[in-house]
Amino acid sequence: MTLYVIVCATGPAPGVGDLVTQAQQQGWEVQVVATPLALGFIDVPALEELTGRPVRSRYRRPDEPKPPRPAAIVVAPASFNTVNKFALGIADTYPLGLLAEAPGLGIPVVVLPSLGEALWQRLPYQRSVAQLRAEGVRVLDPPTVTDPFPWHLALEHLSP
């Protein structure tokens, strides 16, 4: 079963390989999808070697093969921007396009945010979290300890 890991441009993003490894140890085949800004945070060649798949960040061209449909999606680390756009249904990037349709397709989504308390307490963010949870998306509370980032929290809500 394929797990999509959507990585956003936040501080913990360079460590996303830890999440990939943990997911693989649980039996998942992992497809990494990066927001355009996250590409500057992650080691793309290392992730491609680890997963055996290209890191995706854009829509495929018609002549490119379709990737496998995900059985589940984890967004980690999730940014303030991505959580809010996801809740509003804004699909202006490939990762957000995947997220926009996932609840309607019945694909489980777990969101592990990485944001400071000032953003976490903002009313727009709280509204977005409530809306996503009402649609069945598992939005976890931002971790209070982020060094090391607790990647395992997202996986605790999934099973292959």
Side-chain angles (χ1 to χ4, degrees):
M1 292 179 38
T2 303
L3 173 67
Y4 277 24
V5 171
I6 296 179
V7 58
C8 300
T10 71
V16 74
D18 292 342
L19 173 60
V20 171
T21 299
Q22 291 174 31
Q24 289 171 327
Q25 290 170 347
Q26 291 184 10
W28 291 99
E29 291 187 31
V30 180
Q31 171 67 61
V32 176
V33 177
T35 63
L37 291 175
L39 291 173
F41 283 61
I42 61 175
D43 185 340
V44 172
L47 290 168
E48 290 179 342
E49 184 175 331
L50 184 60
T51 63
R53 299 170 185 262
V55 171
R56 306 225 24 234
S57 64
R58 61 169 179 77
Y59 289 99
R60 69 178 181 83
R61 292 186 314 262
D63 62 326
E64 294 176 324
K66 277 187 165 185
R69 176 173 261 176
I73 298 174
V74 166
V75 187
S79 67
F80 178 81
N81 189 51
T82 294
V83 171
N84 287 314
K85 284 184 170 186
F86 179 18
L88 292 173
I90 297 172
D92 61 354
T93 63
Y94 175 64
L96 283 164
L98 292 170
L99 291 171
E101 67 180 0
L105 293 172
I107 299 170
V109 178
V110 175
V111 177
L112 179 58
S114 171
L115 48 102
E117 188 175 345
L119 293 175
W120 180 68
Q121 292 183 1
R122 294 275 328 275
L123 188 55
Y125 179 80
Q126 294 297 322
R127 286 181 183 149
S128 293
V129 168
Q131 182 173 337
L132 289 169
R133 286 177 176 164
E135 289 187 74
V137 175
R138 296 179 189 117
V139 182
L140 307 179
D141 290 336
T144 55
V145 177
T146 58
D147 189 22
F149 193 70
W151 301 104
H152 66 279
L153 293 177
L155 296 174
E156 288 175 2
H157 296 272
L158 298 174
S159 58

